[in-house]
Amino acid sequence: MLSKKSQYAFKALSYLVEKRNEGPILISEIAEHKKIPLKFLENILLELKKAEILDSKKGKGGGYFLKENPENVKLAKIIRLVNGPIAMLPCVSLNFYEKCEDCNEDHCGLHDVLIEVRDASLNILEKKTLMDLVD
């Protein structure tokens, strides 16, 4: 399940994609239009800026804007950045692998099934981009 933080990140990013030709967008405008708590949104946008997905401009006419072309930003990247692992168990994660306690991966049916779930999810999320979030 996507965290509320991830859902807000995707809402904000979709708004910025829709407004990408209008210049920088104020945080308050994004928060108001997408019904996101302002303080929560500030932290999310800073995180996306540090990851160089967004950039910002200060002063009059300032705000946030997409630094990368939305057609090049995969949804999997955003989920990993904001939510963490895509895999449902740490023992099947590609980027956040951890061995499960009291588990033998060689003989674990759940491990095997969740590898398939991870792969199916990644197959979709690595193909979809921020452009797929807008109508």
Short mmCIF file of all heavy atoms in Angstrom, two decimals, residues 8-27 29-30 34 41 45 48 53-55 63-68 70 130-131 133-134:
data_model
loop_
_atom_site.label_atom_id
_atom_site.label_comp_id
_atom_site.label_asym_id
_atom_site.label_seq_id
_atom_site.Cartn_x
_atom_site.Cartn_y
_atom_site.Cartn_z
N TYR A 8 0.56 11.89 -1.72
CA TYR A 8 0.69 13.34 -1.82
C TYR A 8 1.77 13.71 -2.84
O TYR A 8 1.62 14.66 -3.60
CB TYR A 8 1.02 13.96 -0.47
CG TYR A 8 -0.11 13.99 0.52
CD1 TYR A 8 0.15 14.05 1.89
CD2 TYR A 8 -1.45 13.96 0.12
CE1 TYR A 8 -0.88 14.10 2.82
CE2 TYR A 8 -2.48 14.00 1.04
CZ TYR A 8 -2.19 14.07 2.39
OH TYR A 8 -3.21 14.11 3.31
N ALA A 9 2.87 12.98 -2.84
CA ALA A 9 3.95 13.26 -3.80
C ALA A 9 3.44 13.11 -5.22
O ALA A 9 3.69 13.97 -6.08
CB ALA A 9 5.14 12.32 -3.55
N PHE A 10 2.71 12.03 -5.48
CA PHE A 10 2.17 11.82 -6.82
C PHE A 10 1.13 12.88 -7.20
O PHE A 10 1.09 13.34 -8.34
CB PHE A 10 1.59 10.42 -6.98
CG PHE A 10 2.64 9.36 -7.19
CD1 PHE A 10 2.71 8.25 -6.36
CD2 PHE A 10 3.56 9.46 -8.23
CE1 PHE A 10 3.67 7.27 -6.56
CE2 PHE A 10 4.52 8.49 -8.44
CZ PHE A 10 4.58 7.39 -7.60
N LYS A 11 0.31 13.30 -6.24
CA LYS A 11 -0.66 14.37 -6.52
C LYS A 11 0.06 15.67 -6.87
O LYS A 11 -0.31 16.34 -7.83
CB LYS A 11 -1.57 14.60 -5.30
CG LYS A 11 -2.61 13.54 -5.09
CD LYS A 11 -3.46 13.88 -3.87
CE LYS A 11 -4.57 12.88 -3.68
NZ LYS A 11 -5.49 13.29 -2.62
N ALA A 12 1.07 16.01 -6.09
CA ALA A 12 1.82 17.24 -6.34
C ALA A 12 2.55 17.17 -7.68
O ALA A 12 2.53 18.13 -8.46
CB ALA A 12 2.82 17.49 -5.21
N LEU A 13 3.17 16.04 -7.96
CA LEU A 13 3.89 15.89 -9.21
C LEU A 13 2.95 15.94 -10.41
O LEU A 13 3.27 16.55 -11.44
CB LEU A 13 4.69 14.58 -9.21
CG LEU A 13 5.94 14.59 -8.33
CD1 LEU A 13 6.46 13.18 -8.12
CD2 LEU A 13 7.01 15.50 -8.91
N SER A 14 1.78 15.33 -10.28
CA SER A 14 0.83 15.38 -11.39
C SER A 14 0.38 16.82 -11.65
O SER A 14 0.23 17.23 -12.80
CB SER A 14 -0.38 14.46 -11.14
OG SER A 14 -1.18 14.94 -10.09
N TYR A 15 0.22 17.60 -10.59
CA TYR A 15 -0.16 19.00 -10.74
C TYR A 15 0.96 19.77 -11.45
O TYR A 15 0.70 20.57 -12.36
CB TYR A 15 -0.47 19.63 -9.38
CG TYR A 15 -1.09 20.99 -9.47
CD1 TYR A 15 -2.42 21.15 -9.85
CD2 TYR A 15 -0.36 22.14 -9.18
CE1 TYR A 15 -3.01 22.41 -9.94
CE2 TYR A 15 -0.93 23.40 -9.26
CZ TYR A 15 -2.26 23.52 -9.65
OH TYR A 15 -2.83 24.77 -9.75
N LEU A 16 2.19 19.51 -11.05
CA LEU A 16 3.32 20.18 -11.69
C LEU A 16 3.48 19.77 -13.16
O LEU A 16 3.89 20.58 -13.99
CB LEU A 16 4.61 19.91 -10.90
CG LEU A 16 4.69 20.63 -9.54
CD1 LEU A 16 5.87 20.11 -8.73
CD2 LEU A 16 4.77 22.13 -9.73
N VAL A 17 3.14 18.53 -13.46
CA VAL A 17 3.17 18.09 -14.87
C VAL A 17 2.12 18.85 -15.66
O VAL A 17 2.39 19.36 -16.75
CB VAL A 17 2.96 16.56 -14.99
CG1 VAL A 17 2.74 16.15 -16.44
CG2 VAL A 17 4.15 15.79 -14.41
N GLU A 18 0.92 18.96 -15.09
CA GLU A 18 -0.16 19.68 -15.78
C GLU A 18 0.19 21.15 -16.01
O GLU A 18 -0.19 21.74 -17.01
CB GLU A 18 -1.45 19.60 -14.95
CG GLU A 18 -2.08 18.23 -14.91
CD GLU A 18 -3.22 18.12 -13.90
OE1 GLU A 18 -3.47 19.10 -13.16
OE2 GLU A 18 -3.83 17.04 -13.83
N LYS A 19 0.92 21.75 -15.08
CA LYS A 19 1.25 23.17 -15.13
C LYS A 19 2.68 23.42 -15.62
O LYS A 19 3.20 24.53 -15.47
CB LYS A 19 1.11 23.79 -13.72
CG LYS A 19 -0.27 23.65 -13.12
CD LYS A 19 -1.22 24.59 -13.77
CE LYS A 19 -2.56 24.59 -13.08
NZ LYS A 19 -3.46 25.57 -13.65
N ARG A 20 3.32 22.43 -16.21
CA ARG A 20 4.74 22.51 -16.55
C ARG A 20 5.10 23.65 -17.50
O ARG A 20 6.23 24.10 -17.52
CB ARG A 20 5.26 21.18 -17.08
CG ARG A 20 4.72 20.76 -18.42
CD ARG A 20 5.14 19.33 -18.76
NE ARG A 20 4.54 18.85 -19.99
CZ ARG A 20 3.30 18.38 -20.10
NH1 ARG A 20 2.52 18.34 -19.04
NH2 ARG A 20 2.83 17.96 -21.25
N ASN A 21 4.16 24.14 -18.26
CA ASN A 21 4.45 25.22 -19.20
C ASN A 21 4.11 26.60 -18.64
O ASN A 21 4.19 27.59 -19.36
CB ASN A 21 3.69 24.99 -20.51
CG ASN A 21 4.13 23.71 -21.20
OD1 ASN A 21 5.30 23.36 -21.17
ND2 ASN A 21 3.19 23.00 -21.80
N GLU A 22 3.75 26.65 -17.36
CA GLU A 22 3.33 27.91 -16.75
C GLU A 22 4.38 28.51 -15.82
O GLU A 22 4.11 29.47 -15.12
CB GLU A 22 2.01 27.71 -15.99
CG GLU A 22 0.88 27.29 -16.90
CD GLU A 22 -0.43 27.08 -16.17
OE1 GLU A 22 -0.60 27.63 -15.06
OE2 GLU A 22 -1.28 26.35 -16.72
N GLY A 23 5.56 27.93 -15.76
CA GLY A 23 6.61 28.44 -14.88
C GLY A 23 6.47 27.86 -13.48
O GLY A 23 5.66 26.97 -13.22
N PRO A 24 7.28 28.39 -12.54
CA PRO A 24 7.25 27.88 -11.17
C PRO A 24 5.87 28.03 -10.52
O PRO A 24 5.17 29.02 -10.76
CB PRO A 24 8.28 28.75 -10.45
CG PRO A 24 9.19 29.23 -11.54
CD PRO A 24 8.30 29.41 -12.74
N ILE A 25 5.51 27.04 -9.71
CA ILE A 25 4.21 27.01 -9.04
C ILE A 25 4.43 27.10 -7.53
O ILE A 25 5.25 26.36 -6.96
CB ILE A 25 3.45 25.70 -9.37
CG1 ILE A 25 3.32 25.50 -10.89
CG2 ILE A 25 2.09 25.67 -8.68
CD1 ILE A 25 2.49 26.51 -11.61
N LEU A 26 3.68 27.98 -6.88
CA LEU A 26 3.79 28.15 -5.43
C LEU A 26 3.32 26.90 -4.70
O LEU A 26 2.36 26.24 -5.12
CB LEU A 26 2.94 29.33 -4.98
CG LEU A 26 3.37 30.72 -5.43
CD1 LEU A 26 2.32 31.75 -5.06
CD2 LEU A 26 4.73 31.08 -4.83
N ILE A 27 3.99 26.60 -3.60
CA ILE A 27 3.60 25.46 -2.77
C ILE A 27 2.15 25.61 -2.32
O ILE A 27 1.39 24.65 -2.32
CB ILE A 27 4.52 25.31 -1.54
CG1 ILE A 27 5.95 25.00 -1.96
CG2 ILE A 27 4.01 24.23 -0.60
CD1 ILE A 27 6.93 24.95 -0.79
N GLU A 29 -0.32 26.98 -3.79
CA GLU A 29 -1.24 26.66 -4.88
C GLU A 29 -1.40 25.15 -5.03
O GLU A 29 -2.52 24.65 -5.18
CB GLU A 29 -0.74 27.26 -6.20
CG GLU A 29 -1.64 26.95 -7.38
CD GLU A 29 -1.13 27.51 -8.70
OE1 GLU A 29 -0.38 28.51 -8.69
OE2 GLU A 29 -1.48 26.95 -9.75
N ILE A 30 -0.29 24.44 -4.98
CA ILE A 30 -0.34 22.98 -5.08
C ILE A 30 -1.14 22.41 -3.92
O ILE A 30 -2.02 21.57 -4.11
CB ILE A 30 1.08 22.37 -5.09
CG1 ILE A 30 1.91 22.89 -6.26
CG2 ILE A 30 1.01 20.84 -5.13
CD1 ILE A 30 3.39 22.60 -6.16
N LYS A 34 -4.63 20.46 -4.57
CA LYS A 34 -4.56 19.00 -4.39
C LYS A 34 -4.92 18.56 -2.97
O LYS A 34 -4.82 17.39 -2.64
CB LYS A 34 -3.16 18.50 -4.77
CG LYS A 34 -2.87 18.61 -6.26
CD LYS A 34 -3.84 17.74 -7.04
CE LYS A 34 -3.59 17.76 -8.52
NZ LYS A 34 -4.43 16.80 -9.24
N LEU A 41 3.59 18.92 2.55
CA LEU A 41 3.98 19.13 1.16
C LEU A 41 5.37 19.77 1.06
O LEU A 41 6.16 19.38 0.19
CB LEU A 41 2.94 19.99 0.44
CG LEU A 41 3.21 20.26 -1.04
CD1 LEU A 41 3.31 18.96 -1.83
CD2 LEU A 41 2.11 21.15 -1.61
N LEU A 45 8.31 18.13 -1.23
CA LEU A 45 8.91 18.84 -2.35
C LEU A 45 10.41 19.05 -2.15
O LEU A 45 11.19 18.97 -3.11
CB LEU A 45 8.20 20.17 -2.60
CG LEU A 45 6.73 20.07 -3.01
CD1 LEU A 45 6.14 21.45 -3.27
CD2 LEU A 45 6.53 19.16 -4.21
N LEU A 48 12.05 15.81 -3.10
CA LEU A 48 12.07 15.66 -4.56
C LEU A 48 13.09 16.61 -5.19
O LEU A 48 13.70 16.29 -6.21
CB LEU A 48 10.68 15.89 -5.14
CG LEU A 48 9.63 14.83 -4.76
CD1 LEU A 48 8.24 15.28 -5.17
CD2 LEU A 48 9.98 13.49 -5.39
N ILE A 53 14.58 15.89 -9.05
CA ILE A 53 13.38 15.71 -9.87
C ILE A 53 12.71 17.07 -10.04
O ILE A 53 12.17 17.38 -11.10
CB ILE A 53 12.43 14.68 -9.24
CG1 ILE A 53 13.11 13.31 -9.31
CG2 ILE A 53 11.08 14.66 -9.92
CD1 ILE A 53 12.52 12.27 -8.42
N LEU A 54 12.77 17.87 -8.98
CA LEU A 54 12.23 19.23 -9.00
C LEU A 54 13.34 20.24 -8.81
O LEU A 54 14.43 19.90 -8.34
CB LEU A 54 11.22 19.42 -7.86
CG LEU A 54 9.97 18.55 -7.85
CD1 LEU A 54 9.12 18.89 -6.63
CD2 LEU A 54 9.19 18.70 -9.12
N ASP A 55 13.02 21.48 -9.14
CA ASP A 55 13.89 22.59 -8.79
C ASP A 55 12.98 23.71 -8.32
O ASP A 55 11.76 23.60 -8.43
CB ASP A 55 14.73 23.03 -9.99
CG ASP A 55 16.03 23.71 -9.56
OD1 ASP A 55 16.18 24.03 -8.36
OD2 ASP A 55 16.90 23.93 -10.42
N GLY A 63 8.68 29.49 -7.05
CA GLY A 63 7.92 28.29 -6.75
C GLY A 63 8.69 27.07 -7.22
O GLY A 63 9.89 27.13 -7.50
N TYR A 64 8.00 25.97 -7.32
CA TYR A 64 8.60 24.71 -7.74
C TYR A 64 8.25 24.40 -9.18
O TYR A 64 7.17 24.77 -9.67
CB TYR A 64 8.13 23.56 -6.84
CG TYR A 64 8.90 23.47 -5.55
CD1 TYR A 64 8.48 24.15 -4.42
CD2 TYR A 64 10.06 22.71 -5.47
CE1 TYR A 64 9.19 24.08 -3.23
CE2 TYR A 64 10.78 22.63 -4.28
CZ TYR A 64 10.34 23.31 -3.18
OH TYR A 64 11.05 23.24 -2.01
N PHE A 65 9.15 23.70 -9.84
CA PHE A 65 8.92 23.25 -11.21
C PHE A 65 9.70 21.96 -11.44
O PHE A 65 10.63 21.63 -10.70
CB PHE A 65 9.31 24.32 -12.23
CG PHE A 65 10.73 24.80 -12.12
CD1 PHE A 65 11.74 24.22 -12.89
CD2 PHE A 65 11.07 25.82 -11.25
CE1 PHE A 65 13.05 24.65 -12.78
CE2 PHE A 65 12.39 26.26 -11.13
CZ PHE A 65 13.38 25.68 -11.90
N LEU A 66 9.30 21.23 -12.47
CA LEU A 66 9.98 19.97 -12.80
C LEU A 66 11.35 20.27 -13.39
O LEU A 66 11.48 21.07 -14.31
CB LEU A 66 9.15 19.18 -13.82
CG LEU A 66 7.83 18.63 -13.29
CD1 LEU A 66 6.93 18.23 -14.44
CD2 LEU A 66 8.07 17.45 -12.36
N LYS A 67 12.35 19.61 -12.85
CA LYS A 67 13.70 19.75 -13.37
C LYS A 67 13.93 18.75 -14.50
O LYS A 67 14.60 19.05 -15.47
CB LYS A 67 14.72 19.52 -12.25
CG LYS A 67 16.15 19.77 -12.67
CD LYS A 67 17.09 19.70 -11.49
CE LYS A 67 18.51 20.05 -11.94
NZ LYS A 67 19.41 20.09 -10.79
N GLU A 68 13.35 17.58 -14.34
CA GLU A 68 13.47 16.53 -15.35
C GLU A 68 12.24 16.52 -16.24
O GLU A 68 11.15 16.91 -15.83
CB GLU A 68 13.58 15.15 -14.68
CG GLU A 68 14.94 14.84 -14.10
CD GLU A 68 15.09 13.37 -13.77
OE1 GLU A 68 14.82 12.51 -14.64
OE2 GLU A 68 15.47 13.08 -12.63
N PRO A 70 9.09 15.07 -17.58
CA PRO A 70 8.19 14.09 -16.94
C PRO A 70 8.10 12.76 -17.70
O PRO A 70 7.77 11.75 -17.11
CB PRO A 70 6.85 14.80 -16.88
CG PRO A 70 6.95 15.95 -17.81
CD PRO A 70 8.39 16.30 -17.94
N LEU A 130 5.79 10.01 -15.09
CA LEU A 130 4.92 11.06 -14.56
C LEU A 130 3.90 11.52 -15.57
O LEU A 130 2.80 11.94 -15.19
CB LEU A 130 5.78 12.26 -14.11
CG LEU A 130 6.66 12.06 -12.89
CD1 LEU A 130 7.46 13.32 -12.60
CD2 LEU A 130 5.85 11.63 -11.68
N MET A 131 4.19 11.41 -16.85
CA MET A 131 3.21 11.79 -17.88
C MET A 131 1.97 10.91 -17.83
O MET A 131 0.89 11.34 -18.21
CB MET A 131 3.84 11.72 -19.27
CG MET A 131 4.80 12.84 -19.56
SD MET A 131 4.09 14.50 -19.44
CE MET A 131 3.00 14.48 -20.85
N LEU A 133 0.39 10.10 -15.29
CA LEU A 133 -0.46 10.54 -14.18
C LEU A 133 -1.48 11.59 -14.60
O LEU A 133 -2.40 11.88 -13.85
CB LEU A 133 0.38 11.11 -13.03
CG LEU A 133 1.37 10.15 -12.37
CD1 LEU A 133 2.15 10.90 -11.28
CD2 LEU A 133 0.67 8.94 -11.79
N VAL A 134 -1.30 12.17 -15.77
CA VAL A 134 -2.20 13.24 -16.20
C VAL A 134 -3.06 12.75 -17.36
O VAL A 134 -2.69 11.86 -18.11
CB VAL A 134 -1.42 14.51 -16.59
CG1 VAL A 134 -0.70 15.10 -15.39
CG2 VAL A 134 -0.46 14.27 -17.72
#
